[in-house]
């Protein structure tokens, strides 16, 4: 049975800044992705534990809560290695082993969409 998640790859956006989160979410939806958005890593982990259709996580490094985006990326890689992780930050740089790809802020949304397409197929 086809569900929206089967038709459109499901991306989880983890970003605490509402306007930034809304902007990338709208861009991903316009590009044909299904998107779930959350403001922190704790909520992201709850979703990942309950949804097996998430193909990609796009997360900021600096997040409120008990985990930052790098902690989230490491947890995803350990528990759900089939899920791609794109990490973004305007303040820190990330080593290659921390994520599938690091995209510095400010980013061009078309670059994020291109990378999302390459990972979420």
């Amino acid at each position: 049975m086809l569900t929206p998640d089967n038709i459109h790859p499901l991306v989880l956006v983890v970003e605490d800044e509402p306007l930034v989160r809304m902007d990338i979410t709208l861009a991903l939806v316009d590009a044909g992705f299904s998107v779930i958005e959350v403001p922190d890593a704790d909520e992201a982990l709850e979703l990942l534990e309950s949804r097996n259709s998430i193909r990609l996580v796009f997360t900021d490094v600096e997040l409120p809560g008990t985990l930052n985006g790098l902690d989230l990326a490491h947890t995803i890689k350990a528990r759900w290695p089939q899920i791609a992780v794109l990490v973004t930050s305007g303040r820190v740089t990330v080593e290659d082993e921390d994520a599938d790809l690091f995209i510095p802020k400010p980013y061009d949304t078309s670059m994020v969409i291109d990378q999302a397409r390459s990972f979420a197929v």
Side-chain angles (χ1 to χ4, degrees):
M1 179 171 103
L2 288 180
T3 66
D5 292 348
N6 297 97
I7 298 167
H8 305 285
L10 183 57
V11 177
L12 174 58
V13 172
V14 188
E15 170 63 64
D16 62 318
E17 294 294 331
L19 293 177
V20 175
R21 188 173 63 239
M22 182 180 69
D23 183 54
I24 193 60
T25 295
L26 291 174
L28 287 164
V29 168
D30 286 347
F33 292 92
S34 295
V35 179
I36 301 173
E37 52 182 278
V38 296
D40 59 55
D42 298 317
E43 287 188 47
L45 286 175
E46 287 178 24
L47 276 169
L48 288 163
E49 289 171 354
S50 66
R51 304 276 308 251
N52 63 1
S53 55
I54 296 171
R55 296 241 188 103
L56 172 70
V57 174
F58 181 62
T59 183
D60 190 16
V61 170
E62 295 181 41
L63 297 170
T66 58
L67 300 173
N68 67 29
L70 291 179
D71 297 330
L72 176 62
H74 290 283
T75 302
I76 292 168
K77 287 297 164 197
R79 292 180 63 188
W80 300 281
Q82 75 280 8
I83 297 175
V85 181
L86 303 181
V87 175
T88 188
S89 179
R91 297 184 190 192
V92 299
T93 57
V94 173
E95 298 298 321
D96 289 342
E97 64 271 6
D98 290 330
D100 291 303
L101 184 68
F102 174 72
I103 300 173
K105 282 184 178 179
Y107 51 75
D108 178 346
T109 55
S110 64
M111 184 173 110
V112 175
I113 290 165
D114 289 344
Q115 292 303 322
R117 284 185 177 134
S118 73
F119 286 109
V121 224

